Amino acid sequence: MIKRFLLLTLLVALTACSSEKDNSEPPAELVDFEPGIQVNKLWDRSIGSGVQQQYLKLYPLLLDDRIIVADREGDITAIDIETGKKIWTTELDLILSAGVGGNAHHFYVVTWDGELIAINAEGKIDWRSKLASEVLVPPEWVDDRVIVRSVDGQIVAYSSSTGKQDWSYKREVPALSLRGNSRPIISFGRIYSGLDNGRLVVLDASDGRTLLDVAVAVPTGRSELERIVDIDGDAVLDNGVLYMASYQGRVVAVDIRRGQLVWTRKLSTSTGVDVSAGTMFVTDDRDQVWALDRNNGATLWMQDKLTARQLTRPVVVGDMVVTGDFEGYLHFMSQFDGHFMARIEMDDSGILVPPLVRDNKIYVISRDGRLAAYQLNKLSN
């Protein structure tokens, strides 16, 4: 079955529309504020052609001493995270459809024509395996298996040493859904994956058995568009609770030990969530940033000064959250009340992939293929 994506449907609808009026919400103008933190650039470098005009989230893989990045044209590069210097580059001369997954010893990428490719720590190709369908999220690694989530509703495990298929899970996808998939979470031998039909499935990584199947969102409405409840954003598993959100659906907290919903909150997003000690952060489909109480989903604050700026998923860094936008700005907000703490412009081509955070440092990749590292510092008096 050929999956009919929402993006294509909307393009057809816009083309057929006879009205010349643009009803889309204009991006919010950036407001002035007094900075509360200093963001210093440590280094930046070009890592290839990026994704250009394609809407592709080519996630990098952040390791202890290096970051592995990929561009759309198949250049895989290892960068030293302290200096920004290139360690090696492998040129596949193939168009990629997803970012980099794996561990310190092997990296995995997926091509547009349906190949899963394993690359070792020196940048050499170990094996290739043919896939059955298109893949838009990085492969994940667990034990001796590579887990691939494809757009046709399949989750497939391949041997990490040979590339041979081990097991597969299949769920029918709705006739209409968003273009993209959420990244599976791997934890203690289990795979947690949000599906296009608004459900969360938990699989045993050893054999693909279904351990849990929970409705995160339930389709409502008469038309196919109204009934889309796709889970495309990244989820977070923390202390036995999975925090997840869907488009045109709701935000939920799921107790994975009992397989029960702890709380639900109606809110639509396609970018996903992040959490800190007592708070969950989410950007809704109008690009409003919300802070919700992790215990019950109640609103703590909402920042509405970034509407229609095509924000990434908010990411926790220190006592702030950071998000990137379509013009290449990084916006830093206080975790406590949402006020702006800092803003920097990284690259005017825009930011699609959420920033990666480690030890108060931030690693950001732009659409045009620039990778930059930043350090947060308190303002001197």
Side-chain angles (χ1 to χ4, degrees), residues 315-340:
V315 177
V316 171
V317 51
D319 58 2
M320 293 172 290
V321 287
V322 58
T323 181
D325 74 12
F326 78 111
E327 288 186 321
Y329 286 97
L330 290 170
H331 306 273
F332 296 81
M333 292 157 276
S334 166
Q335 281 195 35
F336 307 112
D337 59 12
H339 77 271
F340 292 116

Side-chain angles (χ1 to χ4, degrees), residues 257-277:
R257 300 183 184 96
R258 300 180 180 180
Q260 297 176 346
L261 294 173
V262 179
W263 55 261
T264 69
R265 168 75 184 267
K266 187 170 179 59
L267 195 151
S268 174
T269 180
S270 60
T271 60
V273 305
D274 201 2
V275 299
S276 64

Side-chain angles (χ1 to χ4, degrees), residues 109-381:
V109 294
V110 176
T111 69
W112 270 117
D113 57 1
E115 261 196 317
L116 172 63
I117 300 177
I119 301 169
N120 63 32
E122 288 71 45
K124 307 299 182 183
I125 296 175
D126 273 357
W127 51 258
R128 300 174 177 227
S129 185
K130 192 66 179 175
L131 304 176
S133 184
E134 183 181 24
V135 174
L136 296 175
V137 292
E140 305 290 345
W141 178 87
V142 54
D143 298 330
D144 58 349
R145 295 176 178 86
V146 184
I147 308 301
V148 176
R149 164 81 160 92
S150 58
V151 299
D152 63 351
Q154 288 195 78
I155 300 172
V156 185
Y158 297 85
S159 167
S160 61
S161 57
T162 66
K164 292 183 179 180
Q165 182 175 318
D166 191 356
W167 56 258
S168 68
Y169 166 90
K170 178 67 182 291
R171 191 68 173 260
E172 290 299 319
V173 299
L176 200 63
S177 64
L178 299 177
R179 178 170 176 77
N181 294 122
S182 60
R183 298 184 66 174
I185 295 175
I186 312 292
S187 179
F188 293 102
R190 295 186 173 189
I191 303 168
Y192 301 82
S193 183
L195 305 180
D196 296 334
N197 59 6
R199 301 190 71 86
L200 161 68
V201 64
V202 182
L203 307 178
D204 189 314
S206 64
D207 55 17
R209 286 183 299 117
T210 302
L211 303 176
L212 182 64
D213 191 329
V214 179
V216 172
V218 179
T220 60
R222 296 182 179 181
S223 70
E224 294 283 1
L225 281 174
E226 292 174 329
R227 293 177 62 80
I228 293 174
V229 288
D230 200 344
I231 301 173
D232 268 9
D234 296 333
V236 175
L237 177 61
D238 186 65
N239 198 27
V241 179
L242 185 74
Y243 301 89
M244 180 174 276
S246 68
Y247 178 74
Q248 293 189 155
R250 55 188 183 178
V251 181
V252 303
V254 183
D255 185 325
I256 60 171
R257 300 183 184 96
R258 300 180 180 180
Q260 297 176 346
L261 294 173
V262 179
W263 55 261
T264 69
R265 168 75 184 267
K266 187 170 179 59
L267 195 151
S268 174
T269 180
S270 60
T271 60
V273 305
D274 201 2
V275 299
S276 64
T279 311
M280 188 190 78
F281 303 96
V282 59
T283 301
D284 68 18
D285 55 11
R286 291 191 60 231
D287 292 313
Q288 299 175 128
V289 182
W290 296 75
L292 308 180
D293 191 311
R294 277 180 58 169
N295 296 314
N296 53 32
T299 300
L300 300 178
W301 54 259
M302 188 268 284
Q303 174 58 262
D304 62 357
K305 297 297 189 295
L306 298 172
T307 55
R309 294 193 64 85
Q310 301 173 36
L311 301 181
T312 69
R313 175 175 65 93
V315 177
V316 171
V317 51
D319 58 2
M320 293 172 290
V321 287
V322 58
T323 181
D325 74 12
F326 78 111
E327 288 186 321
Y329 286 97
L330 290 170
H331 306 273
F332 296 81
M333 292 157 276
S334 166
Q335 281 195 35
F336 307 112
D337 59 12
H339 77 271
F340 292 116
M341 296 285 289
R343 177 198 302 141
I344 60 171
E345 184 179 11
M346 181 213 168
D347 182 332
D348 61 10
S349 66
I351 301 169
L352 293 177
V353 176
L356 300 177
V357 175
R358 177 181 292 158
D359 299 331
N360 224 34
K361 295 178 181 178
I362 303 168
Y363 304 89
V364 188
I365 190 168
S366 73
R367 293 186 69 128
D368 277 355
R370 292 209 70 82
L371 175 66
Y374 299 93
Q375 173 82 56
L376 302 184
N377 296 302
K378 293 182 179 180
L379 289 173
S380 57
N381 295 328

